[in-house]
Amino acid sequence: MAKYSYQRIRKVCMKVKLVFLVWFASLQCIGAEITAPETRQIVSSLTSETIKNAELIWHLAELGYLESESSGQLANYLETAGFEVTRGVADIPTAFVAKAGSGGPHIAILAEFDALPGLSQDAVPIRSPITVDAPGHACGHHLFGAASAAAAIALSRWMAGSGSKGTVSVFGTPAEEGGSGKVYMARAGLFRDVDIVLHWHPGDNNGASPSSTNANKSGRFEFHGIAAHAASAPHRGRSALDGVEAMNYMVNMMREHVPSNARLHYVITDGGDAPNIVPEFAEVYYYVRHPQVERVNALFERLVDAARGAALGTGTQMEYEVMHGNYPVLRNDALAQIVYDEMVSLGGFSYSPTEQVFAETIFKTFIQPTRRIGSQETIRPFQFRQSMGSTDVGDVSWMVPTAGFTTATWVPGTPGHSWQAVASGGMSIGHKGMMMAAKILAGTAERLYLNSELIDGIRREFEERRGPQFRYKALLGDRQPPLSYRK
């Protein structure tokens, strides 16, 4: 008779249990799908206000930890709508929590609002910076925060009008782009009393499948040398740039000997001042990614060893600083199924003739334009997806059951972090996807408030996936939140 290990039996049982939980959650939602959630109509009534918020934040285009006006716009808007707003949480001036209602369930909606450096772009289908080298919303976080605020306000009004019990919160989360704002908020325990977290993200398609991301850890490696005249006295100097280049050479040789799903990438942020001066300072900025936290930590330590060796070999001194770190998103199929059902129930949208012309024009600027455009009614099938990117939502998902989705705020085929994403996100194509997202957020939360027993099954899956031995330890260690953006 074949012998099966305890671990193998446990894994099989877990898969069977998770399939049952997803099926049970879907079964419980059948009755709720007969009529459209009341919150959809309330969200629709907030369309002009939501577009106004998104446009304002799009024009502000503030970088991570510098989003004072963007954060303030959303916080003030929620406060005017009756939310109790706490600003400056987790020792971050631009982070806030806005809360309405009372009792349980407590559902939180994440809101982002930071831009990216150097991607200023007008809302036109050709490359046209508004201000050269200025920031731009190339990841659509202006839409993200505005839609989340609208969904929360719709829920608070629905609860007040229907007498439904529960608490809805908006977590204003700064600096997702390389700043890990949510990690500091998770580390500070701000999600302790939350039952469910919902989030979304702009994209070029509609999808709500369960998904995960790569864990990520980044660091800046500084090399300190001795300056000297590069022609008349090079022997009296020690090049910090040599230290950076030696480190990069060793790390590039590492690529053959790391897991195939790992990612190592870097930029030299400072390589010296002039060719005729031996650089006394140089810096390189690294990201390490992998689906598993343990592998990320191990790979990062190999980077540190390479940096030490490079310093030793070039006669320089090396210091490094961990900049940020994110956990992979912990999937929750039962919650994702409810979000997916809400998206299918709502359906997508089509482009107007003006939007069609815009889309066809910008589509020609892509390197490989192969996808159909003209309608965003298609919803991607429900199946697990592993993203190679990273997000600080990951840390939140290990604190609270979490699910997210994407809506098509960009022309199909648009890469994130591109000028094309800024352009689409600044006009009606982006606004349509944003309002779709607000309705999905509000509708999903409404179904959970009306069928709160679903949360028990969602929580069981969460505990099973996380494991009984899990203890949260932030990848960025005890680093304090930075108060400014460092490119």
Side-chain angles (χ1 to χ4, degrees), residues 168-202:
V168 58
S169 292
V170 176
F171 280 69
T173 61
E176 189 275 338
E177 300 290 358
S180 293
K182 296 180 193 65
V183 177
Y184 297 107
M185 298 173 80
R187 195 179 67 181
L190 297 181
F191 295 92
R192 284 197 190 105
D193 66 340
V194 176
D195 296 304
I196 296 289
V197 167
L198 299 175
H199 67 100
W200 77 287
H201 201 282

Short mmCIF file of all heavy atoms in Angstrom, two decimals, residues 168-202:
data_model
loop_
_atom_site.label_atom_id
_atom_site.label_comp_id
_atom_site.label_asym_id
_atom_site.label_seq_id
_atom_site.Cartn_x
_atom_site.Cartn_y
_atom_site.Cartn_z
N VAL A 168 -18.04 51.09 7.14
CA VAL A 168 -17.26 51.18 5.92
C VAL A 168 -16.15 52.18 6.14
O VAL A 168 -16.36 53.26 6.70
CB VAL A 168 -18.12 51.57 4.70
CG1 VAL A 168 -18.82 52.90 4.90
CG2 VAL A 168 -17.27 51.59 3.43
N SER A 169 -14.94 51.81 5.74
CA SER A 169 -13.78 52.68 5.89
C SER A 169 -13.05 52.83 4.57
O SER A 169 -13.01 51.89 3.76
CB SER A 169 -12.80 52.13 6.94
OG SER A 169 -13.36 52.17 8.22
N VAL A 170 -12.48 54.00 4.37
CA VAL A 170 -11.56 54.23 3.26
C VAL A 170 -10.18 54.42 3.85
O VAL A 170 -9.98 55.28 4.72
CB VAL A 170 -11.96 55.47 2.43
CG1 VAL A 170 -10.91 55.74 1.35
CG2 VAL A 170 -13.33 55.28 1.81
N PHE A 171 -9.23 53.62 3.40
CA PHE A 171 -7.84 53.76 3.83
C PHE A 171 -7.09 54.51 2.74
O PHE A 171 -6.84 53.97 1.65
CB PHE A 171 -7.21 52.39 4.07
CG PHE A 171 -7.55 51.79 5.41
CD1 PHE A 171 -8.85 51.35 5.68
CD2 PHE A 171 -6.60 51.67 6.40
CE1 PHE A 171 -9.18 50.81 6.90
CE2 PHE A 171 -6.91 51.12 7.63
CZ PHE A 171 -8.21 50.69 7.89
N GLY A 172 -6.77 55.77 3.01
CA GLY A 172 -5.99 56.56 2.07
C GLY A 172 -4.54 56.17 2.18
O GLY A 172 -3.87 56.49 3.17
N THR A 173 -4.04 55.46 1.16
CA THR A 173 -2.72 54.81 1.25
C THR A 173 -1.74 55.46 0.29
O THR A 173 -1.84 55.31 -0.92
CB THR A 173 -2.85 53.32 0.93
OG1 THR A 173 -3.34 53.15 -0.41
CG2 THR A 173 -3.83 52.64 1.88
N PRO A 174 -0.77 56.20 0.80
CA PRO A 174 0.19 56.91 -0.06
C PRO A 174 1.29 55.99 -0.59
O PRO A 174 1.50 54.88 -0.11
CB PRO A 174 0.77 57.96 0.88
CG PRO A 174 0.69 57.32 2.23
CD PRO A 174 -0.57 56.49 2.22
N ALA A 175 1.99 56.50 -1.58
CA ALA A 175 3.28 55.96 -2.03
C ALA A 175 3.28 54.47 -2.32
O ALA A 175 4.14 53.73 -1.86
CB ALA A 175 4.35 56.28 -0.98
N GLU A 176 2.31 54.01 -3.11
CA GLU A 176 2.36 52.61 -3.53
C GLU A 176 3.54 52.37 -4.47
O GLU A 176 4.13 51.29 -4.47
CB GLU A 176 1.05 52.24 -4.23
CG GLU A 176 0.89 50.74 -4.51
CD GLU A 176 1.55 50.27 -5.80
OE1 GLU A 176 1.78 51.11 -6.70
OE2 GLU A 176 1.86 49.06 -5.92
N GLU A 177 3.89 53.38 -5.25
CA GLU A 177 4.96 53.24 -6.24
C GLU A 177 6.34 53.29 -5.57
O GLU A 177 6.98 54.32 -5.47
CB GLU A 177 4.86 54.35 -7.28
CG GLU A 177 3.56 54.38 -8.05
CD GLU A 177 3.42 53.20 -9.01
OE1 GLU A 177 4.36 52.37 -9.10
OE2 GLU A 177 2.37 53.10 -9.65
N GLY A 178 6.77 52.14 -5.09
CA GLY A 178 8.10 52.03 -4.51
C GLY A 178 8.23 52.56 -3.10
O GLY A 178 9.33 52.58 -2.56
N GLY A 179 7.12 52.97 -2.49
CA GLY A 179 7.19 53.54 -1.15
C GLY A 179 6.58 52.70 -0.05
O GLY A 179 6.80 52.95 1.13
N SER A 180 5.77 51.68 -0.44
CA SER A 180 5.19 50.74 0.53
C SER A 180 4.39 51.41 1.63
O SER A 180 4.46 51.02 2.79
CB SER A 180 6.29 49.86 1.15
OG SER A 180 6.86 49.01 0.19
N GLY A 181 3.59 52.40 1.27
CA GLY A 181 2.79 53.08 2.28
C GLY A 181 1.90 52.16 3.09
O GLY A 181 1.76 52.31 4.31
N LYS A 182 1.29 51.17 2.43
CA LYS A 182 0.39 50.25 3.13
C LYS A 182 1.13 49.37 4.13
O LYS A 182 0.54 48.89 5.10
CB LYS A 182 -0.36 49.38 2.12
CG LYS A 182 -1.28 50.15 1.19
CD LYS A 182 -1.98 49.20 0.23
CE LYS A 182 -2.64 49.95 -0.91
NZ LYS A 182 -1.66 50.64 -1.79
N VAL A 183 2.41 49.12 3.87
CA VAL A 183 3.18 48.27 4.78
C VAL A 183 3.30 48.95 6.15
O VAL A 183 3.12 48.31 7.19
CB VAL A 183 4.58 47.97 4.20
CG1 VAL A 183 5.41 47.16 5.19
CG2 VAL A 183 4.45 47.24 2.88
N TYR A 184 3.59 50.24 6.15
CA TYR A 184 3.67 50.97 7.42
C TYR A 184 2.31 50.97 8.12
O TYR A 184 2.24 50.88 9.35
CB TYR A 184 4.14 52.40 7.17
CG TYR A 184 5.52 52.49 6.59
CD1 TYR A 184 5.71 52.83 5.25
CD2 TYR A 184 6.65 52.21 7.36
CE1 TYR A 184 6.99 52.91 4.70
CE2 TYR A 184 7.93 52.29 6.82
CZ TYR A 184 8.09 52.63 5.49
OH TYR A 184 9.34 52.70 4.96
N MET A 185 1.24 51.06 7.36
CA MET A 185 -0.10 51.06 7.94
C MET A 185 -0.45 49.69 8.51
O MET A 185 -1.04 49.58 9.58
CB MET A 185 -1.12 51.51 6.89
CG MET A 185 -0.89 52.94 6.40
SD MET A 185 -1.93 53.43 5.01
CE MET A 185 -3.46 53.81 5.87
N ALA A 186 -0.06 48.63 7.78
CA ALA A 186 -0.28 47.28 8.29
C ALA A 186 0.56 47.03 9.53
O ALA A 186 0.09 46.45 10.52
CB ALA A 186 0.04 46.26 7.20
N ARG A 187 1.81 47.45 9.48
CA ARG A 187 2.72 47.26 10.61
C ARG A 187 2.22 47.98 11.86
O ARG A 187 2.43 47.53 12.99
CB ARG A 187 4.12 47.75 10.23
CG ARG A 187 5.22 47.29 11.17
CD ARG A 187 6.57 47.80 10.71
NE ARG A 187 6.67 49.26 10.83
CZ ARG A 187 7.74 49.97 10.48
NH1 ARG A 187 8.79 49.34 9.95
NH2 ARG A 187 7.78 51.27 10.62
N ALA A 188 1.52 49.12 11.65
CA ALA A 188 0.99 49.89 12.77
C ALA A 188 -0.31 49.31 13.32
O ALA A 188 -0.86 49.85 14.30
CB ALA A 188 0.76 51.34 12.33
N GLY A 189 -0.81 48.23 12.72
CA GLY A 189 -2.01 47.57 13.23
C GLY A 189 -3.32 48.23 12.85
O GLY A 189 -4.35 47.98 13.49
N LEU A 190 -3.33 49.03 11.80
CA LEU A 190 -4.54 49.77 11.45
C LEU A 190 -5.64 48.89 10.87
O LEU A 190 -6.79 49.33 10.78
CB LEU A 190 -4.19 50.88 10.44
CG LEU A 190 -3.23 51.97 10.95
CD1 LEU A 190 -2.99 53.01 9.86
CD2 LEU A 190 -3.80 52.65 12.19
N PHE A 191 -5.32 47.66 10.48
CA PHE A 191 -6.32 46.78 9.89
C PHE A 191 -6.86 45.75 10.89
O PHE A 191 -7.58 44.83 10.48
CB PHE A 191 -5.74 46.07 8.66
CG PHE A 191 -5.41 47.00 7.53
CD1 PHE A 191 -4.13 47.54 7.41
CD2 PHE A 191 -6.35 47.33 6.59
CE1 PHE A 191 -3.81 48.40 6.36
CE2 PHE A 191 -6.05 48.20 5.54
CZ PHE A 191 -4.78 48.73 5.43
N ARG A 192 -6.53 45.90 12.15
CA ARG A 192 -6.88 44.88 13.15
C ARG A 192 -8.38 44.64 13.27
O ARG A 192 -8.81 43.50 13.46
CB ARG A 192 -6.33 45.27 14.52
CG ARG A 192 -4.83 45.06 14.67
CD ARG A 192 -4.42 45.06 16.13
NE ARG A 192 -2.97 45.09 16.27
CZ ARG A 192 -2.28 46.16 16.64
NH1 ARG A 192 -2.91 47.30 16.90
NH2 ARG A 192 -0.96 46.12 16.75
N ASP A 193 -9.19 45.68 13.17
CA ASP A 193 -10.62 45.51 13.39
C ASP A 193 -11.41 45.43 12.09
O ASP A 193 -12.63 45.58 12.08
CB ASP A 193 -11.17 46.65 14.25
CG ASP A 193 -11.11 48.00 13.55
OD1 ASP A 193 -10.32 48.13 12.59
OD2 ASP A 193 -11.85 48.92 13.95
N VAL A 194 -10.72 45.18 10.96
CA VAL A 194 -11.37 45.11 9.66
C VAL A 194 -11.67 43.65 9.32
O VAL A 194 -10.85 42.76 9.55
CB VAL A 194 -10.48 45.74 8.57
CG1 VAL A 194 -11.10 45.58 7.20
CG2 VAL A 194 -10.24 47.22 8.88
N ASP A 195 -12.86 43.39 8.75
CA ASP A 195 -13.26 42.03 8.39
C ASP A 195 -12.90 41.69 6.94
O ASP A 195 -12.54 40.56 6.64
CB ASP A 195 -14.77 41.86 8.58
CG ASP A 195 -15.18 42.00 10.03
OD1 ASP A 195 -14.64 41.26 10.87
OD2 ASP A 195 -16.03 42.86 10.32
N ILE A 196 -13.05 42.66 6.05
CA ILE A 196 -12.82 42.45 4.62
C ILE A 196 -12.15 43.69 4.05
O ILE A 196 -12.50 44.82 4.41
CB ILE A 196 -14.14 42.21 3.86
CG1 ILE A 196 -14.82 40.92 4.31
CG2 ILE A 196 -13.91 42.20 2.34
CD1 ILE A 196 -14.13 39.64 3.89
N VAL A 197 -11.19 43.49 3.13
CA VAL A 197 -10.59 44.60 2.40
C VAL A 197 -10.85 44.40 0.91
O VAL A 197 -10.62 43.32 0.37
CB VAL A 197 -9.07 44.70 2.66
CG1 VAL A 197 -8.41 45.65 1.66
CG2 VAL A 197 -8.80 45.19 4.07
N LEU A 198 -11.33 45.47 0.26
CA LEU A 198 -11.55 45.47 -1.18
C LEU A 198 -10.66 46.52 -1.82
O LEU A 198 -10.43 47.59 -1.25
CB LEU A 198 -13.01 45.76 -1.51
CG LEU A 198 -14.06 44.78 -0.97
CD1 LEU A 198 -15.46 45.29 -1.26
CD2 LEU A 198 -13.85 43.38 -1.55
N HIS A 199 -10.19 46.23 -3.00
CA HIS A 199 -9.38 47.21 -3.74
C HIS A 199 -9.56 46.94 -5.22
O HIS A 199 -10.12 45.93 -5.64
CB HIS A 199 -7.90 47.12 -3.36
CG HIS A 199 -7.24 45.85 -3.78
ND1 HIS A 199 -6.44 45.76 -4.90
CD2 HIS A 199 -7.26 44.59 -3.25
CE1 HIS A 199 -5.99 44.52 -5.03
NE2 HIS A 199 -6.48 43.79 -4.05
N TRP A 200 -9.08 47.84 -6.03
CA TRP A 200 -9.12 47.65 -7.48
C TRP A 200 -7.90 48.32 -8.08
O TRP A 200 -7.13 48.98 -7.37
CB TRP A 200 -10.41 48.22 -8.07
CG TRP A 200 -10.43 49.71 -8.21
CD1 TRP A 200 -10.56 50.63 -7.20
CD2 TRP A 200 -10.31 50.47 -9.42
NE1 TRP A 200 -10.53 51.89 -7.70
CE2 TRP A 200 -10.38 51.84 -9.06
CE3 TRP A 200 -10.15 50.14 -10.77
CZ2 TRP A 200 -10.29 52.87 -10.01
CZ3 TRP A 200 -10.07 51.16 -11.71
CH2 TRP A 200 -10.15 52.50 -11.32
N HIS A 201 -7.72 48.17 -9.40
CA HIS A 201 -6.62 48.86 -10.04
C HIS A 201 -6.97 49.13 -11.49
O HIS A 201 -7.55 48.28 -12.16
CB HIS A 201 -5.32 48.05 -9.97
CG HIS A 201 -4.10 48.90 -10.15
ND1 HIS A 201 -3.69 49.35 -11.38
CD2 HIS A 201 -3.22 49.40 -9.25
CE1 HIS A 201 -2.60 50.08 -11.23
NE2 HIS A 201 -2.30 50.15 -9.95
N PRO A 202 -6.63 50.31 -11.99
CA PRO A 202 -6.80 50.58 -13.41
C PRO A 202 -6.01 49.58 -14.26
O PRO A 202 -4.96 49.08 -13.84
CB PRO A 202 -6.25 52.00 -13.56
CG PRO A 202 -6.44 52.62 -12.21
CD PRO A 202 -6.17 51.51 -11.25
#
